[in-house]
Amino acid sequence: MRLPILASLLLLSAFGARAQAFQSAEIARWQRQAKQVTITRDTWGVPHVSGQTDADAVFGLLYAQCEDDFARVEANYLDALGRRAEVEGESALYHDLRARLFMDSTQAIALYQKSPNWMRQLLQAFADGTNYYLHTHPQTKPQLLRRFQPWMPLLFSEGSIGGNVSVVPVERLKAFYSRQLAPGTGWQPPQLPTKEDLLDRSSLGSNGFAIAPQLSASGHPLLLINPHTSFYFRPEVQMTSKAGLNAYGAVTWGQFFIYQGFNEHCGWMHTSSYADSMDEYLETVAQQPDGRYTYRYGAEQRPVRQQPVRVAYRAADGTTKSREFTTYHTHHGPVVGQQPDGQWLTVRMMDTPVAALEQSYLRTKATDYASFQQVMKLNGNASNNTVFADSKGTIAYWHGNFMPRRDPQFNWSQPVDGSNPKTEWQGLHQAEDIVQVKNPASGWLQN
């Protein structure tokens, strides 16, 4: 069925006004934009969204995602906002606290306001398309989020749910912020797969294959995109606009760019990476007479930044309650645990949501290897490797993207001494420094 969004929705708009607290001026604005958007669903129900501008395409994409599974769109933002406990109950309290430690709405709003104009237009279209869906579908009952804001995608800007935040152990964080150092909650090395684990991985692991033109029957390069997600984890979509956008592939629910897919010039596949792009620091902390904490850094005693965070949760009786935490931060990052010897653990990871979101979107408009490599220079992908092929015959691979420069005298596979200034990151490796392959002599590559 091929219909402009507005044509199929006028009958519902009156009901939507009563269901949502939206203003008449913004509803009129959404209706004008909807006239510029067409959603065509093919035989398999895949939405092909087209618009006059890229923002129109984003507007239609979010509307189509909400049509397909609004619950997943909302769930991903409950996770990113640190508000799952308001729906799931007290069991999600520390999961939400972890999200708030690394990013909160105040930071996201500030980043939105500093974003370039073209990005703000896309972010506004994200919010407008989602809210227009809610306005026109009063029968859809959100669990919590009844209005989406344009700054929300900056909370998980890579396109991965939670990104590297998800590797911070919740139980260790809970032990610290409930002030009970439980056995086994100190630092633990990453849980890499054992030999036994590798014997049966039929349903695990992303796979990307690129075949050079000389090995393909057609004489064109081939790219196989096989993400490790479950069948409905990401929807399949096409986005086009008269501004040059024409991308097809998989989208994370609630995001507005093709996460892995292709356009008429090139394709890209992301596989989860073990490239080490984040670090833990051991902080030597002292409590002062006034009750506040300081931490040692070189010859200094620096104040630990304390910040109150109130996390709401759904109580067993159905009411909403909250718990207030005092969270702690050094310049390395938030405190996420404590060692048995009393040292606190902080985590440093990529904290450039605007650059990450820019990279995620701009790669969908790359035209060849050179332009894709240019986008990689934003260093905005901290959790993935990339397999690539373009219509000119180039195949390529990058092992990670966001990669800190570190002093090699330290063992970065374990927490390092936060009091030693030599453990500071020394900027980032440039895209050309990262482990990578272009047009291997074998004529193929796999990750």
Side-chain angles (χ1 to χ4, degrees), residues 1 3 52 90 97 108 125 173 188-190 217 220 265 268 274 295 308 320 328 340 364 393 442-443:
M1 181 173 64
L3 285 175
Q52 296 292 313
E90 195 171 3
L97 178 62
L173 185 145
Q188 299 174 4
H220 299 293
H265 303 293
W268 57 97
Y274 283 116
Y295 67 102
T320 298
Y328 302 96
T364 69
S442 64

Side-chain angles (χ1 to χ4, degrees), residues 208-231:
F209 298 84
I211 309 296
Q214 64 267 30
L215 295 185
S216 74
S218 66
H220 299 293
L222 305 174
L223 178 68
L224 173 67
I225 297 174
N226 177 29
H228 69 276
T229 59
S230 57
F231 193 77

Side-chain angles (χ1 to χ4, degrees), residues 119-441:
M119 177 57 70
R120 289 200 304 273
Q121 291 177 9
L122 300 182
L123 290 167
Q124 187 63 56
F126 147 83
D128 289 348
T130 311
N131 290 331
Y132 188 50
Y133 169 82
L134 289 174
H135 165 65
T136 54
H137 290 73
Q139 69 274 25
T140 297
K141 305 298 181 185
Q143 294 190 84
L144 188 67
L145 303 179
R146 290 170 172 77
R147 177 185 284 271
F148 284 71
Q149 302 291 348
W151 47 262
M152 286 182 175
L154 289 162
L155 294 168
F156 64 111
S157 52
E158 274 195 79
S160 296
I161 308 302
N164 285 338
V165 174
S166 61
V167 306
V168 176
V170 171
E171 286 304 311
R172 186 181 69 186
L173 185 145
K174 178 180 179 180
F176 177 80
Y177 283 103
S178 62
R179 285 299 188 272
Q180 297 171 0
L181 186 58
T185 56
W187 180 81
Q188 299 174 4
Q191 298 300 304
L192 300 177
T194 65
K195 186 176 294 185
E196 291 72 23
D197 292 333
L198 296 173
L199 294 177
D200 183 16
R201 293 175 60 85
S202 59
S203 63
L204 300 175
S206 300
N207 295 280
F209 298 84
I211 309 296
Q214 64 267 30
L215 295 185
S216 74
S218 66
H220 299 293
L222 305 174
L223 178 68
L224 173 67
I225 297 174
N226 177 29
H228 69 276
T229 59
S230 57
F231 193 77
Y232 290 107
F233 186 78
R234 289 192 176 99
E236 188 175 341
V237 303
Q238 183 181 20
M239 299 174 68
T240 62
S241 78
K242 291 185 178 180
L245 176 66
N246 184 12
Y248 189 105
V251 178
T252 299
W253 292 105
Q255 277 290 18
F256 61 83
F257 52 85
I258 304 295
Y259 181 58
Q260 45 201 5
F262 57 91
N263 56 35
E264 66 268 43
H265 303 293
C266 58
W268 57 97
M269 164 61 189
H270 294 309
T271 54
S272 296
S273 179
Y274 283 116
D276 183 9
S277 63
M278 57 186 290
D279 290 306
E280 291 190 302
Y281 288 83
L282 295 170
E283 310 287 8
T284 302
V285 178
Q287 190 169 23
Q288 301 304 312
D290 63 359
R292 294 187 173 273
Y293 293 94
T294 60
Y295 67 102
R296 188 168 73 237
Y297 185 70
E300 303 176 56
Q301 280 294 128
R302 293 187 172 185
V304 174
R305 180 166 63 87
Q306 298 184 194
Q307 181 175 331
V309 173
R310 177 170 294 175
V311 182
Y313 65 94
R314 187 175 184 271
D317 60 4
T319 61
T320 298
K321 297 183 179 180
S322 64
R323 188 175 303 176
E324 186 163 307
F325 299 90
T326 298
T327 62
Y328 302 96
H329 304 253
T330 73
H331 73 283
H332 293 125
V335 176
V336 298
Q338 183 175 349
Q339 293 286 74
D341 64 4
Q343 287 185 301
W344 289 4
L345 276 166
T346 56
V347 168
R348 186 172 185 184
M349 62 177 66
M350 187 181 78
D351 187 21
T352 55
V354 176
L357 199 54
E358 286 178 332
Q359 180 169 328
S360 294
Y361 188 80
L362 290 173
R363 65 175 170 243
T364 69
K365 303 185 80 169
T367 56
D368 55 14
Y369 173 85
S371 61
F372 196 91
Q373 172 85 335
Q374 191 66 30
V375 175
M376 292 285 281
K377 291 181 179 181
L378 288 167
N379 296 116
N381 190 333
S383 61
N384 295 295
N385 305 321
T386 303
V387 181
F388 172 89
D390 70 20
S391 59
K392 295 179 179 179
T394 299
I395 63 173
Y397 169 78
W398 291 269
H399 191 68
N401 179 239
F402 177 92
M403 190 55 56
R405 289 183 180 274
R406 305 171 171 105
D407 189 326
Q409 70 174 294
F410 299 101
N411 179 5
W412 294 94
S413 67
Q414 297 191 28
V416 294
D417 182 3
S419 69
N420 188 344
K422 291 183 178 180
T423 61
E424 291 298 321
W425 288 356
Q426 299 161 15
L428 299 177
H429 285 283
Q430 300 302 305
E432 54 267 26
D433 298 337
I434 298 167
V435 175
Q436 57 195 271
V437 177
K438 179 184 178 184
N439 292 330

Side-chain angles (χ1 to χ4, degrees), residues 69-91:
D69 201 334
F70 173 80
R72 285 179 182 263
V73 173
E74 183 184 24
N76 282 349
Y77 281 99
L78 290 175
D79 194 67
L81 287 161
R83 299 187 66 183
R84 274 177 46 177
E86 294 177 59
V87 173
E88 299 176 14
E90 195 171 3
S91 62

